[in-house]
Amino acid sequence: MQIENTSFLGKLAYRMRIYLNSFKYRLLAIRSNTIIPLSTLLIIHPGGKVTMGGSCTIGRYATISVLPGAELKIGSNTIINHCCTIYCANSIIIGEDVRIAHNTTIVDHDYDTSNFEQRFIGKLLGKINIQKNAWIGASCVLLRDTSLGDYAVVGAGSIIKGEFPGFSIIKNHRDIIVTTQKKPPMPC
């Protein structure tokens, strides 16, 4: 189902908390059986484009932001769980049958901080490509220029950037360092 009727889109924007800066652009294409709850915040700026395949599910309290000139594609049967955040400034492609667990953040850009005297210089744009049947664990962060192959698995809490082939398992090892004190801490 392609949404083009502005009066219908206006009602949809009210009911689903979708905030579109301008309804005259063809910004959103959603196929049938896609579930987007009332608590989801979907921000599409003029010139940004979102395409969702059929039978997608977006969890409660998710935030999806698509900036001008950016394109977000979500394949069929994809599940984006509760409290996930997707910031698209250039291009994010999420393939079919992808599972994204809660609290995951996907960002296709960084901010250039090479000169600290100027707080904001510009965005460093990249692309994110998540291919079919990938599984991303809870509380992961996917940074710009990340590519996950078919059936890739990302372990919970991982922060990843780079290219990962299909059928790979990606996880961050975090060593737990436990030290003992020679003296008890001073009382307050």
Side-chain angles (χ1 to χ4, degrees):
M1 169 176 79
Q2 185 127 1
I3 300 174
E4 296 179 22
N5 186 340
T6 55
S7 63
F8 172 72
L9 192 55
K11 293 175 187 175
L12 184 68
Y14 176 75
R15 292 197 59 224
M16 294 172 44
R17 293 183 60 210
I18 296 176
Y19 299 101
L20 304 176
N21 288 342
S22 176
F23 293 124
K24 66 182 178 179
Y25 300 99
R26 194 180 302 175
L27 302 174
L28 182 63
I30 300 177
R31 295 226 170 147
S32 62
N33 298 325
T34 294
I35 300 170
I36 301 175
L38 297 173
S39 60
T40 295
L41 177 60
L42 179 56
I43 304 168
I44 306 171
H45 294 274
K49 186 176 179 183
V50 175
T51 305
M52 290 185 188
S55 301
C56 290
T57 301
I58 309 292
R60 294 184 313 246
Y61 305 107
T63 300
I64 298 173
S65 179
V66 181
L67 299 181
E71 185 172 11
L72 171 64
K73 292 182 181 178
I74 301 173
S76 299
N77 302 315
T78 293
I79 296 174
I80 300 172
N81 223 315
H82 308 298
C83 301
C84 287
T85 303
I86 299 174
Y87 290 119
C88 182
N90 188 27
S91 173
I92 297 176
I93 299 172
I94 301 172
E96 295 180 357
D97 298 304
V98 172
R99 304 295 183 254
I100 301 174
H102 61 282
N103 292 323
T104 293
T105 300
I106 300 173
V107 183
D108 69 350
H109 62 280
D110 288 334
Y111 291 98
D112 185 2
T113 58
S114 59
N115 184 352
F116 289 107
E117 292 178 9
Q118 295 179 356
R119 296 249 166 151
F120 176 75
I121 296 172
K123 291 186 174 125
L124 301 173
L125 300 177
K127 294 182 179 183
I128 294 181
N129 187 5
I130 303 168
Q131 295 182 14
K132 67 179 182 179
N133 291 300
W135 179 22
I136 301 170
S139 301
C140 291
V141 178
L142 277 68
L143 300 173
R144 70 179 168 94
D145 296 326
T146 297
S147 179
L148 295 177
D150 295 343
Y151 296 91
V153 177
V154 180
S158 296
I159 301 171
I160 64 169
K161 180 178 180 179
E163 293 190 22
F164 303 94
F167 299 92
S168 59
I169 299 173
I170 305 112
K171 58 183 177 177
N172 288 138
H173 287 288
R174 291 181 184 82
D175 295 331
I176 298 174
I177 300 172
V178 178
T179 60
T180 57
Q181 298 178 356
K182 293 181 181 179
K183 295 181 182 179
M186 297 294 285
C188 294

